[in-house]
Amino acid sequence: MKLKNDDLIFMYKTMVRTRKLDEITIKGLQEGKVLAFYHSSQGSEALAVGAASFLRPDDYLWAHHRGHGIGYILAKGGSGRDFLAEHYGKATGSCLGVSGFHFADPENGALGAAGTIGSVFPMSLGWGLAAKKHGRQQVTIACFGDGGSNRGTLHEAFNLSSVWKLPIVWICDNNGMAQYTPITDAYAKDDIADLATGYDIPAVVVDGMDIIAVHEAVQAAVEKARAGEGPSMIEAKTKRFREHSIGSPDVVHNQPRTDEEIAEMKKLDPIITFKAKLLEQGVLTKADVEKINNDAEAEMAEMDQFCVDSQIPDPSILNTLVYAE
Amino acid sequence: MKEIRFVQAINEALEEELSRDEKVYIIGEDVQAGTFGVSTGLVHKFGPERIMDTPLSETVIAGAAVGSAMTGYRPVAEFMFADFMYVAGDEIFAKAAKWRFIHGGTVELPLVFMASMGGYAKLGAEHSQSPESMFMHTPGLKLVVPSTPYDAKGLMKSAIRDNNPVVYLFHKRLLGLKGEIPEEEYVVPLGQADIKREGTDVTVVATGMMVQFALKVAEELKEKVSVEVIDPRTLEPLDIDTIIESVKKTGRAIVVDEDTKRCGVASEIMAQIMELAFDYLDAPIQRIAAANYPIPGGFMEDYVLPQTKDIKAAIEAIAD
Ligand SMILES: Cc1ncc(C[n+]2csc(CCOP(=O)(O)OP(=O)(O)O)c2C)c(N)n1
């Protein structure tokens, strides 16, 4: 698919909204409105939005846990308000306020989210299997981190997706860190993509800070999957701007990451670089940029108010949730 | 005596045992920095070869512990959240628990599986579980659930020295709790209950966070009811004798458990009291435990996990 100007603007807007939603979630955590924890997605917006934009609503999406999926959710057409309300523990949340931070939006193909890292592999395999059985050219986008790739279930799922030629696009957000552990001490090779090629899954490594590079790679894989040509894998090299979990130490093993290191990373901020590109190409004007920013801020303020005003769930719902009729 | 926090008590136990026996080592994700602080700082003294940060691979964390224990090492494998132990189900429930038995006692498995447990932090279904009943159910595993800094330290030392796989669950909401411990070295043996508060009217049996709940309620009710609080401290081995002795004295028993009510730890302890002290009971045994739901996140957690008001109501009702 050739990206039109409107598409580029949608992607830019979605990245900005992702960042603003991230910021308001952090603020909510600090103010005690967000009840559990939050793993900021700052630095990986280009991957999330590049990967999940312009999919079909019925394509399945397993969002990466960072940002609790927000960039992917917004790009796929999901609701930031449902996301935030869930984090505030309100009945208007995407899981009726009983999950705390998981997100589900089956109408947009987001069937659920896990607290256990690495669940993505076997579960997405199931979604991919269903997509193949349905025969409607749906695809499954299955996202995980470099840390998640250390789970053994990756191998079982990669292998079977290849053997069964399932329409799955495996996407790795490789930000080089898993909580406090750097990938150099957790993985024997340089590229996680090599794990896919080992199972005859075509794989590419892309610059995850470049939304266009991500999008093109994912779309190529999506087209192949829709055409029945089986799974692909994309490894995107990204950055994690913030500490693992808001408020946790920002360390590599037990050594703090330095301000210089973080500042260096932030020079690659995918929102800033994409903005510069769009301004240069004349796709956006300075006024457009300002409006997008203001609109996103207004949207977040409105969301926050809505979530604050929402009711907490009625505990009688719990009994209806354990078993289906 | 000195005052110390729960988290520090575990840290001291680990440090002392690492110093005492070079076969002891810690293995797990992010243990050098320490997600909950229990292993924080140890790497400075013992180095990364003994305080081993691993990839996100619970299956091999457990497997490495079991495998190396068979050759005489004494690993302490850390799982961060007890919920993540499910990922290593085969290694924990089938290998660690059974391998001594099925190999006719030819091998030993001196290891500790350590994790945070429990709720009251609104972290949702996959970061809040109290899976004690699964471990208690499984022959071959020992199970430690400390409720005070004193016990946390003394029991960790015994767990490491034990020649069996010991699951050690510390409650994430108890880590800041302060308590007194001796300056000098001590251990708390596995299988010895502790009477946390003496009383004559009602026996309350509880572990972990529930002990602190029970003690709070007992204090609140002290003018009306004399509550005896018994903490088994280890659920396997279970010091049922101390519980039975207390029940014979009070004639009334309440078992409090943060785990799910159905087939939970409380069910087992209740059953043993019925078998051993039925004739001494003046009232049906009460069981306070989590409702039979997954633990929800957000505000709904309060409606599933046991609360002090539930314990209070049960004591008032049974003592009536
Ligand atoms: C099975 C399991 N083990 C450990 C954790 C704790 N944990 C949560 S996120 C995380 C790091 C994940 O790293 P990665 O997959 O690279 O994603 P990132 O957070 O870097 O985006 C860890 C260790 C978990 N949630 N589940």
Side-chain angles (χ1 to χ4, degrees), chain B residues 58-91:
Chain B
E58 285 78 7
T59 312
V60 286
I61 293 168
V66 177
S68 63
M70 292 174 72
T71 76
Y73 284 91
R74 292 186 172 270
V76 177
E78 212 262 11
F79 293 89
M80 217 180 277
F81 289 82
D83 313 62
F84 307 158
M85 294 173 82
Y86 291 28
V87 169
D90 182 52
E91 289 65 33

Side-chain angles (χ1 to χ4, degrees), chain B residues 23-266:
Chain B
K23 294 285 191 188
V24 177
Y25 72 98
I26 301 177
I27 181 168
E29 289 155 32
D30 309 299
V31 292
Q32 292 177 7
T35 300
F36 289 97
V38 298
S39 55
T40 303
L42 297 174
V43 67
H44 298 302
K45 186 162 171 190
F46 301 102
E49 301 292 321
R50 292 184 69 200
I51 313 297
M52 299 186 75
D53 271 359
T54 67
L56 202 161
S57 306
E58 285 78 7
T59 312
V60 286
I61 293 168
V66 177
S68 63
M70 292 174 72
T71 76
Y73 284 91
R74 292 186 172 270
V76 177
E78 212 262 11
F79 293 89
M80 217 180 277
F81 289 82
D83 313 62
F84 307 158
M85 294 173 82
Y86 291 28
V87 169
D90 182 52
E91 289 65 33
I92 296 171
F93 294 107
K95 300 298 166 298
K98 298 180 188 181
W99 264 34
R100 180 172 193 279
F101 183 88
I102 65 172
H103 295 109
T106 51
V107 291
E108 283 185 351
L109 296 143
L111 63 92
V112 178
F113 293 133
M114 166 171 78
S116 74
M117 63 165 280
Y120 308 96
K122 295 192 168 68
L123 296 181
E126 292 173 311
H127 289 80
S128 304
Q129 293 171 96
S130 296
E132 304 100 287
S133 62
M134 301 201 313
F135 301 120
M136 190 183 185
H137 177 73
T138 305
L141 298 178
K142 294 191 176 182
L143 177 58
V144 177
V145 188
S147 70
T148 65
Y150 178 90
D151 293 345
K153 180 172 177 183
L155 289 167
M156 176 55 91
K157 288 170 69 79
S158 293
I160 292 172
R161 294 180 196 183
D162 199 277
N163 289 330
N164 295 284
V166 180
V167 177
Y168 182 103
L169 300 177
F170 59 87
H171 201 291
K172 56 179 81 73
R173 291 305 305 273
L174 285 179
L175 290 171
L177 181 76
K178 287 183 185 161
E180 301 242 297
I181 68 163
E183 299 280 352
E184 60 280 7
E185 192 180 0
Y186 70 98
V187 297
V188 174
L190 307 187
Q192 241 175 52
D194 188 37
I195 302 173
K196 295 293 183 200
R197 181 187 176 108
E198 288 195 25
T200 51
D201 299 337
V202 180
T203 300
V204 175
V205 183
T207 55
M209 181 91 164
M210 297 304 101
V211 173
Q212 297 301 334
F213 278 21
L215 289 172
K216 184 165 172 274
V217 172
E219 181 62 22
E220 283 167 21
L221 290 175
K222 70 173 177 218
E223 306 301 334
K224 288 195 280 185
V225 193
S226 169
V227 178
E228 178 143 299
V229 178
I230 301 205
D231 177 0
R233 301 195 285 195
T234 66
L235 289 166
E236 174 57 40
L238 177 68
D239 177 3
I240 192 67
D241 295 348
T242 300
I243 297 170
I244 294 301
E245 224 169 278
S246 174
V247 172
K248 285 181 176 171
K249 176 174 71 175
T250 62
R252 293 177 170 82
I254 296 171
V255 189
V256 190
D257 177 21
E258 192 181 329
D259 199 352
T260 309
K261 191 169 193 174
R262 186 164 70 214
C263 292
V265 169

Side-chain angles (χ1 to χ4, degrees), chain A residues 197-213:
Chain A
T197 50
Y199 292 103
D200 265 354
I201 297 173
V204 291
V205 179
V206 299
D207 175 4
M209 307 305 272
D210 177 348
I211 188 165
I212 300 300

Side-chain angles (χ1 to χ4, degrees), chain A residues 206-224:
Chain A
V206 299
D207 175 4
M209 307 305 272
D210 177 348
I211 188 165
I212 300 300
V214 169
H215 185 68
E216 284 173 352
V218 174
Q219 279 301 315
V222 165
E223 275 166 32
K224 280 178 60 180

